[in-house]
PDB file of all heavy atoms in Angstrom:
ATOM      1  N   TYR B  91     -32.329 -40.370  -2.269  1.00 95.00           N
ATOM      2  CA  TYR B  91     -33.095 -41.611  -2.266  1.00 95.00           C
ATOM      3  C   TYR B  91     -33.220 -42.194  -3.660  1.00 95.00           C
ATOM      4  O   TYR B  91     -33.101 -41.483  -4.653  1.00 95.00           O
ATOM      5  CB  TYR B  91     -34.513 -41.339  -1.750  1.00 95.00           C
ATOM      6  CG  TYR B  91     -34.594 -40.938  -0.304  1.00 95.00           C
ATOM      7  CD1 TYR B  91     -35.032 -39.672   0.060  1.00 95.00           C
ATOM      8  CD2 TYR B  91     -34.247 -41.847   0.697  1.00 95.00           C
ATOM      9  CE1 TYR B  91     -35.126 -39.308   1.395  1.00 95.00           C
ATOM     10  CE2 TYR B  91     -34.342 -41.486   2.033  1.00 95.00           C
ATOM     11  CZ  TYR B  91     -34.785 -40.217   2.380  1.00 95.00           C
ATOM     12  OH  TYR B  91     -34.873 -39.866   3.693  1.00 95.00           O
ATOM     13  N   ASP B  92     -33.544 -43.483  -3.730  1.00 92.00           N
ATOM     14  CA  ASP B  92     -33.983 -44.050  -5.006  1.00 92.00           C
ATOM     15  C   ASP B  92     -35.488 -43.799  -5.115  1.00 92.00           C
ATOM     16  O   ASP B  92     -36.069 -43.085  -4.297  1.00 92.00           O
ATOM     17  CB  ASP B  92     -33.592 -45.532  -5.115  1.00 92.00           C
ATOM     18  CG  ASP B  92     -34.461 -46.449  -4.272  1.00 92.00           C
ATOM     19  OD1 ASP B  92     -35.260 -45.939  -3.463  1.00 92.00           O
ATOM     20  OD2 ASP B  92     -34.349 -47.677  -4.418  1.00 92.00           O
ATOM     21  N   GLY B  93     -36.162 -44.405  -6.094  1.00 92.00           N
ATOM     22  CA  GLY B  93     -37.559 -44.081  -6.352  1.00 92.00           C
ATOM     23  C   GLY B  93     -38.526 -44.494  -5.261  1.00 92.00           C
ATOM     24  O   GLY B  93     -39.657 -44.027  -5.215  1.00 92.00           O
ATOM     25  N   ILE B  94     -38.119 -45.402  -4.362  1.00 92.00           N
ATOM     26  CA  ILE B  94     -39.026 -45.832  -3.311  1.00 92.00           C
ATOM     27  C   ILE B  94     -38.421 -45.552  -1.937  1.00 92.00           C
ATOM     28  O   ILE B  94     -38.554 -46.345  -1.007  1.00 92.00           O
ATOM     29  CB  ILE B  94     -39.412 -47.321  -3.461  1.00 92.00           C
ATOM     30  CG1 ILE B  94     -38.179 -48.175  -3.747  1.00 92.00           C
ATOM     31  CG2 ILE B  94     -40.440 -47.493  -4.571  1.00 92.00           C
ATOM     32  CD1 ILE B  94     -38.459 -49.664  -3.735  1.00 92.00           C
ATOM     33  N   GLN B  95     -37.782 -44.442  -1.818  1.00 95.00           N
ATOM     34  CA  GLN B  95     -37.240 -43.909  -0.565  1.00 95.00           C
ATOM     35  C   GLN B  95     -36.231 -44.809   0.119  1.00 95.00           C
ATOM     36  O   GLN B  95     -36.197 -44.920   1.342  1.00 95.00           O
ATOM     37  CB  GLN B  95     -38.361 -43.546   0.422  1.00 95.00           C
ATOM     38  CG  GLN B  95     -37.977 -42.396   1.333  1.00 95.00           C
ATOM     39  CD  GLN B  95     -38.756 -42.370   2.655  1.00 95.00           C
ATOM     40  OE1 GLN B  95     -39.459 -43.309   3.001  1.00 95.00           O
ATOM     41  NE2 GLN B  95     -38.619 -41.285   3.400  1.00 95.00           N
ATOM     42  N   ARG B  96     -35.382 -45.472  -0.642  1.00 93.00           N
ATOM     43  CA  ARG B  96     -34.258 -46.156  -0.007  1.00 93.00           C
ATOM     44  C   ARG B  96     -33.036 -45.266  -0.171  1.00 93.00           C
ATOM     45  O   ARG B  96     -32.722 -44.867  -1.295  1.00 93.00           O
ATOM     46  CB  ARG B  96     -34.023 -47.517  -0.659  1.00 93.00           C
ATOM     47  CG  ARG B  96     -35.175 -48.474  -0.410  1.00 93.00           C
ATOM     48  CD  ARG B  96     -34.890 -49.833  -0.960  1.00 93.00           C
ATOM     49  NE  ARG B  96     -34.591 -49.770  -2.395  1.00 93.00           N
ATOM     50  CZ  ARG B  96     -34.364 -50.832  -3.131  1.00 93.00           C
ATOM     51  NH1 ARG B  96     -34.383 -52.038  -2.591  1.00 93.00           N
ATOM     52  NH2 ARG B  96     -34.108 -50.718  -4.414  1.00 93.00           N
ATOM     53  N   PRO B  97     -32.351 -44.921   0.911  1.00 95.00           N
ATOM     54  CA  PRO B  97     -31.216 -43.995   0.795  1.00 95.00           C
ATOM     55  C   PRO B  97     -30.077 -44.631  -0.015  1.00 95.00           C
ATOM     56  O   PRO B  97     -29.629 -45.735   0.305  1.00 95.00           O
ATOM     57  CB  PRO B  97     -30.776 -43.758   2.235  1.00 95.00           C
ATOM     58  CG  PRO B  97     -31.839 -44.356   3.090  1.00 95.00           C
ATOM     59  CD  PRO B  97     -32.575 -45.361   2.279  1.00 95.00           C
ATOM     60  N   LEU B  98     -29.629 -43.952  -1.055  1.00 94.00           N
ATOM     61  CA  LEU B  98     -28.588 -44.523  -1.916  1.00 94.00           C
ATOM     62  C   LEU B  98     -27.273 -44.790  -1.178  1.00 94.00           C
ATOM     63  O   LEU B  98     -26.614 -45.790  -1.445  1.00 94.00           O
ATOM     64  CB  LEU B  98     -28.364 -43.637  -3.140  1.00 94.00           C
ATOM     65  CG  LEU B  98     -29.526 -43.646  -4.133  1.00 94.00           C
ATOM     66  CD1 LEU B  98     -29.306 -42.649  -5.258  1.00 94.00           C
ATOM     67  CD2 LEU B  98     -29.718 -45.038  -4.722  1.00 94.00           C
ATOM     68  N   PRO B  99     -26.865 -43.928  -0.240  1.00 93.00           N
ATOM     69  CA  PRO B  99     -25.622 -44.247   0.478  1.00 93.00           C
ATOM     70  C   PRO B  99     -25.733 -45.570   1.248  1.00 93.00           C
ATOM     71  O   PRO B  99     -24.774 -46.327   1.323  1.00 93.00           O
ATOM     72  CB  PRO B  99     -25.468 -43.063   1.455  1.00 93.00           C
ATOM     73  CG  PRO B  99     -26.226 -41.947   0.832  1.00 93.00           C
ATOM     74  CD  PRO B  99     -27.373 -42.592   0.120  1.00 93.00           C
ATOM     75  N   ARG B 100     -26.926 -45.854   1.796  1.00 93.00           N
ATOM     76  CA  ARG B 100     -27.085 -47.116   2.520  1.00 93.00           C
ATOM     77  C   ARG B 100     -27.059 -48.294   1.546  1.00 93.00           C
ATOM     78  O   ARG B 100     -26.525 -49.356   1.853  1.00 93.00           O
ATOM     79  CB  ARG B 100     -28.408 -47.116   3.295  1.00 93.00           C
ATOM     80  CG  ARG B 100     -28.485 -46.059   4.383  1.00 93.00           C
ATOM     81  CD  ARG B 100     -27.649 -46.444   5.596  1.00 93.00           C
ATOM     82  NE  ARG B 100     -28.035 -47.753   6.122  1.00 93.00           N
ATOM     83  CZ  ARG B 100     -29.114 -47.964   6.857  1.00 93.00           C
ATOM     84  NH1 ARG B 100     -29.901 -46.972   7.160  1.00 93.00           N
ATOM     85  NH2 ARG B 100     -29.384 -49.180   7.297  1.00 93.00           N
ATOM     86  N   LEU B 101     -27.651 -48.111   0.361  1.00 92.00           N
ATOM     87  CA  LEU B 101     -27.616 -49.175  -0.635  1.00 92.00           C
ATOM     88  C   LEU B 101     -26.177 -49.461  -1.029  1.00 92.00           C
ATOM     89  O   LEU B 101     -25.787 -50.601  -1.250  1.00 92.00           O
ATOM     90  CB  LEU B 101     -28.418 -48.790  -1.882  1.00 92.00           C
ATOM     91  CG  LEU B 101     -29.926 -48.623  -1.709  1.00 92.00           C
ATOM     92  CD1 LEU B 101     -30.599 -48.470  -3.066  1.00 92.00           C
ATOM     93  CD2 LEU B 101     -30.546 -49.807  -0.975  1.00 92.00           C
ATOM     94  N   LYS B 102     -25.376 -48.407  -1.096  1.00 93.00           N
ATOM     95  CA  LYS B 102     -23.970 -48.594  -1.447  1.00 93.00           C
ATOM     96  C   LYS B 102     -23.262 -49.426  -0.377  1.00 93.00           C
ATOM     97  O   LYS B 102     -22.495 -50.332  -0.685  1.00 93.00           O
ATOM     98  CB  LYS B 102     -23.292 -47.241  -1.617  1.00 93.00           C
ATOM     99  CG  LYS B 102     -21.865 -47.366  -2.094  1.00 93.00           C
ATOM    100  CD  LYS B 102     -21.140 -46.054  -2.164  1.00 93.00           C
ATOM    101  CE  LYS B 102     -19.669 -46.332  -2.466  1.00 93.00           C
ATOM    102  NZ  LYS B 102     -18.862 -45.132  -2.451  1.00 93.00           N
ATOM    103  N   GLU B 103     -23.544 -49.094   0.877  1.00 91.00           N
ATOM    104  CA  GLU B 103     -22.941 -49.875   1.968  1.00 91.00           C
ATOM    105  C   GLU B 103     -23.300 -51.349   1.856  1.00 91.00           C
ATOM    106  O   GLU B 103     -22.482 -52.226   2.075  1.00 91.00           O
ATOM    107  CB  GLU B 103     -23.462 -49.379   3.324  1.00 91.00           C
ATOM    108  CG  GLU B 103     -22.792 -48.140   3.847  1.00 91.00           C
ATOM    109  CD  GLU B 103     -23.579 -47.567   5.026  1.00 91.00           C
ATOM    110  OE1 GLU B 103     -24.208 -48.347   5.767  1.00 91.00           O
ATOM    111  OE2 GLU B 103     -23.571 -46.330   5.180  1.00 91.00           O
ATOM    112  N   GLN B 104     -24.562 -51.608   1.495  1.00 89.00           N
ATOM    113  CA  GLN B 104     -25.019 -52.997   1.463  1.00 89.00           C
ATOM    114  C   GLN B 104     -24.582 -53.754   0.227  1.00 89.00           C
ATOM    115  O   GLN B 104     -24.319 -54.950   0.287  1.00 89.00           O
ATOM    116  CB  GLN B 104     -26.549 -53.046   1.540  1.00 89.00           C
ATOM    117  CG  GLN B 104     -27.079 -52.705   2.890  1.00 89.00           C
ATOM    118  CD  GLN B 104     -28.588 -52.918   2.948  1.00 89.00           C
ATOM    119  OE1 GLN B 104     -29.161 -53.670   2.166  1.00 89.00           O
ATOM    120  NE2 GLN B 104     -29.230 -52.247   3.868  1.00 89.00           N
ATOM    121  N   MET B 105     -24.550 -53.059  -0.934  1.00 89.00           N
ATOM    122  CA  MET B 105     -24.401 -53.810  -2.174  1.00 89.00           C
ATOM    123  C   MET B 105     -23.251 -53.355  -3.040  1.00 89.00           C
ATOM    124  O   MET B 105     -23.076 -53.859  -4.134  1.00 89.00           O
ATOM    125  CB  MET B 105     -25.677 -53.671  -2.997  1.00 89.00           C
ATOM    126  CG  MET B 105     -26.900 -54.139  -2.285  1.00 89.00           C
ATOM    127  SD  MET B 105     -28.322 -53.975  -3.338  1.00 89.00           S
ATOM    128  CE  MET B 105     -28.407 -52.215  -3.489  1.00 89.00           C
ATOM    129  N   GLY B 106     -22.496 -52.362  -2.584  1.00 91.00           N
ATOM    130  CA  GLY B 106     -21.392 -51.889  -3.401  1.00 91.00           C
ATOM    131  C   GLY B 106     -21.848 -50.861  -4.418  1.00 91.00           C
ATOM    132  O   GLY B 106     -22.922 -50.284  -4.303  1.00 91.00           O
ATOM    133  N   ASP B 107     -21.009 -50.685  -5.455  1.00 93.00           N
ATOM    134  CA  ASP B 107     -21.202 -49.573  -6.368  1.00 93.00           C
ATOM    135  C   ASP B 107     -22.359 -49.756  -7.334  1.00 93.00           C
ATOM    136  O   ASP B 107     -22.789 -48.820  -7.985  1.00 93.00           O
ATOM    137  CB  ASP B 107     -19.921 -49.344  -7.164  1.00 93.00           C
ATOM    138  CG  ASP B 107     -18.792 -48.881  -6.258  1.00 93.00           C
ATOM    139  OD1 ASP B 107     -19.094 -48.146  -5.305  1.00 93.00           O
ATOM    140  OD2 ASP B 107     -17.639 -49.264  -6.495  1.00 93.00           O
ATOM    141  N   PHE B 108     -22.861 -50.976  -7.470  1.00 92.00           N
ATOM    142  CA  PHE B 108     -23.968 -51.205  -8.381  1.00 92.00           C
ATOM    143  C   PHE B 108     -25.235 -51.477  -7.579  1.00 92.00           C
ATOM    144  O   PHE B 108     -25.186 -52.109  -6.525  1.00 92.00           O
ATOM    145  CB  PHE B 108     -23.663 -52.375  -9.309  1.00 92.00           C
ATOM    146  CG  PHE B 108     -22.564 -52.076 -10.283  1.00 92.00           C
ATOM    147  CD1 PHE B 108     -21.233 -52.288  -9.940  1.00 92.00           C
ATOM    148  CD2 PHE B 108     -22.851 -51.560 -11.535  1.00 92.00           C
ATOM    149  CE1 PHE B 108     -20.206 -51.983 -10.835  1.00 92.00           C
ATOM    150  CE2 PHE B 108     -21.843 -51.262 -12.428  1.00 92.00           C
ATOM    151  CZ  PHE B 108     -20.523 -51.477 -12.084  1.00 92.00           C
ATOM    152  N   VAL B 109     -26.358 -50.972  -8.076  1.00 89.00           N
ATOM    153  CA  VAL B 109     -27.621 -51.191  -7.381  1.00 89.00           C
ATOM    154  C   VAL B 109     -28.136 -52.583  -7.731  1.00 89.00           C
ATOM    155  O   VAL B 109     -28.545 -52.826  -8.857  1.00 89.00           O
ATOM    156  CB  VAL B 109     -28.662 -50.130  -7.792  1.00 89.00           C
ATOM    157  CG1 VAL B 109     -29.968 -50.356  -7.055  1.00 89.00           C
ATOM    158  CG2 VAL B 109     -28.134 -48.747  -7.506  1.00 89.00           C
ATOM    159  N   ARG B 110     -28.057 -53.487  -6.795  1.00 86.00           N
ATOM    160  CA  ARG B 110     -28.580 -54.826  -7.024  1.00 86.00           C
ATOM    161  C   ARG B 110     -29.820 -54.993  -6.170  1.00 86.00           C
ATOM    162  O   ARG B 110     -30.063 -54.241  -5.244  1.00 86.00           O
ATOM    163  CB  ARG B 110     -27.528 -55.879  -6.706  1.00 86.00           C
ATOM    164  CG  ARG B 110     -26.332 -55.718  -7.628  1.00 86.00           C
ATOM    165  CD  ARG B 110     -25.347 -56.852  -7.496  1.00 86.00           C
ATOM    166  NE  ARG B 110     -24.048 -56.438  -8.030  1.00 86.00           N
ATOM    167  CZ  ARG B 110     -23.746 -56.440  -9.332  1.00 86.00           C
ATOM    168  NH1 ARG B 110     -24.632 -56.825 -10.218  1.00 86.00           N
ATOM    169  NH2 ARG B 110     -22.551 -56.045  -9.745  1.00 86.00           N
ATOM    170  N   ARG B 111     -30.591 -56.013  -6.498  1.00 85.00           N
ATOM    171  CA  ARG B 111     -31.888 -56.057  -5.846  1.00 85.00           C
ATOM    172  C   ARG B 111     -31.812 -56.706  -4.468  1.00 85.00           C
ATOM    173  O   ARG B 111     -30.834 -57.345  -4.106  1.00 85.00           O
ATOM    174  CB  ARG B 111     -32.858 -56.820  -6.725  1.00 85.00           C
ATOM    175  CG  ARG B 111     -32.540 -58.281  -6.794  1.00 85.00           C
ATOM    176  CD  ARG B 111     -33.677 -59.004  -7.443  1.00 85.00           C
ATOM    177  NE  ARG B 111     -33.410 -60.415  -7.415  1.00 85.00           N
ATOM    178  CZ  ARG B 111     -33.588 -61.208  -8.453  1.00 85.00           C
ATOM    179  NH1 ARG B 111     -34.018 -60.721  -9.590  1.00 85.00           N
ATOM    180  NH2 ARG B 111     -33.335 -62.487  -8.326  1.00 85.00           N
ATOM    181  N   GLY B 112     -32.893 -56.536  -3.735  1.00 81.00           N
ATOM    182  CA  GLY B 112     -33.031 -57.242  -2.471  1.00 81.00           C
ATOM    183  C   GLY B 112     -32.494 -56.487  -1.272  1.00 81.00           C
ATOM    184  O   GLY B 112     -32.503 -56.993  -0.164  1.00 81.00           O
ATOM    185  N   ALA B 113     -31.997 -55.255  -1.498  1.00 82.00           N
ATOM    186  CA  ALA B 113     -31.482 -54.505  -0.350  1.00 82.00           C
ATOM    187  C   ALA B 113     -32.654 -53.890   0.408  1.00 82.00           C
ATOM    188  O   ALA B 113     -33.662 -53.531  -0.171  1.00 82.00           O
ATOM    189  CB  ALA B 113     -30.564 -53.398  -0.822  1.00 82.00           C
ATOM    190  N   THR B 114     -32.505 -53.800   1.702  1.00 83.00           N
ATOM    191  CA  THR B 114     -33.538 -53.123   2.466  1.00 83.00           C
ATOM    192  C   THR B 114     -32.862 -52.033   3.269  1.00 83.00           C
ATOM    193  O   THR B 114     -31.788 -52.214   3.825  1.00 83.00           O
ATOM    194  CB  THR B 114     -34.241 -54.074   3.444  1.00 83.00           C
ATOM    195  OG1 THR B 114     -33.229 -54.789   4.147  1.00 83.00           O
ATOM    196  CG2 THR B 114     -35.159 -55.031   2.728  1.00 83.00           C
TER     197      THR B 114
END
Side-chain angles (χ1 to χ4, degrees):
Chain B
Y91 293 115
D92 75 351
I94 46 173
Q95 210 204 11
R96 294 184 303 183
L98 290 175
R100 296 285 304 283
L101 294 189
K102 185 185 172 185
E103 280 168 31
Q104 288 186 22
M105 302 181 294
D107 294 325
F108 292 87
V109 181
R110 298 188 199 279
R111 70 169 184 225
T114 48

